[in-house]
Amino acid sequence: PGNLEASCYLGQALLMQEKFDEALGIFAGAREKAAVKSGSPVADAYHVNLSLARAQLGLKRNEEAWKSLEDAERAQPGTADVLVFRGVYHMQKQDLKKAARELEKAMDMDEQNAYAHYYAGLVYLRQGHPAKAVDMLKMFLQMAPQAPEAFRAQTLITGLC
């Protein structure tokens, strides 16, 4: 679509469906336009760069994702969501200690951030802390029972209990 906000909503829908290639194309095209727009709930520089990072992480394009996260941080400093996706970045790089630190900071900043709990659960599981993983995944399900990741979270909990 030619409308920036409509494009961003479409990109968000594609991210929820894990259609990362298509979402990446939309958000890459929106990046320049969003740099001059502010105040939109989905189409400002912060949201576009954060969404771009999500798509890049989904495609394992980690270094590009890190740059997009830096751009999102510059546009809106000090947000829990940037910390969450930094945690995902470190998780994909197999640096679980850094991932856990970023996710714990995100939860300290915003205890209602469902994805901080979800990814912390995955990190704790990989670190060999199944009880902590179950706690985090249960909290995620309480906060976001309809999230696309809810089925995976429930499956992991069932397998660990």
Side-chain angles (χ1 to χ4, degrees):
N3 179 298
L4 179 59
E5 285 197 10
S7 293
C8 290
Y9 279 115
L10 175 60
Q12 292 294 328
L14 292 168
L15 284 174
M16 289 175 52
Q17 297 171 47
E18 296 186 359
K19 294 181 178 180
F20 300 117
D21 275 322
E22 294 173 54
L24 181 65
I26 287 173
F27 288 115
R31 181 183 239 166
E32 283 186 35
K33 293 177 190 171
V36 297
K37 188 172 179 71
S38 64
S40 168
V42 294
D44 62 10
Y46 167 74
H47 290 95
V48 168
N49 281 298
L50 189 67
S51 298
L52 191 55
R54 288 177 60 201
Q56 291 160 332
L57 287 166
L59 295 168
K60 307 287 192 266
R61 293 166 69 168
N62 294 330
E63 301 315 313
E64 293 174 45
W66 188 260
K67 184 191 178 317
S68 295
L69 289 170
E70 288 176 333
D71 291 344
E73 176 74 17
R74 270 192 294 281
Q76 189 171 325
T79 69
D81 286 333
V82 168
L83 293 171
V84 169
F85 290 107
R86 282 185 186 168
V88 173
Y89 167 87
H90 290 300
M91 187 172 68
Q92 288 185 355
K93 302 283 277 180
Q94 302 304 315
D95 191 339
L96 300 180
K97 285 184 181 180
K98 279 186 183 176
R101 272 196 308 270
E102 295 283 15
L103 293 163
E104 288 163 3
K105 283 193 265 184
M107 289 184 287
D108 288 344
M109 185 179 289
D110 178 4
E111 63 187 33
Q112 295 301 308
N113 188 307
Y115 283 97
H117 291 84
Y118 175 74
Y119 289 113
L122 298 181
V123 168
Y124 293 147
L125 185 59
R126 288 185 187 182
Q127 287 179 321
H129 303 293
K132 285 175 80 172
V134 167
D135 289 345
M136 291 295 114
L137 293 170
K138 283 182 177 179
M139 292 173 80
F140 167 73
L141 287 173
Q142 287 175 352
M143 291 181 226
Q146 301 301 317
E149 298 83 359
F151 179 77
R152 181 173 184 214
Q154 186 60 59
T155 301
L156 288 170
I157 290 168
T158 301
L160 292 168
C161 292

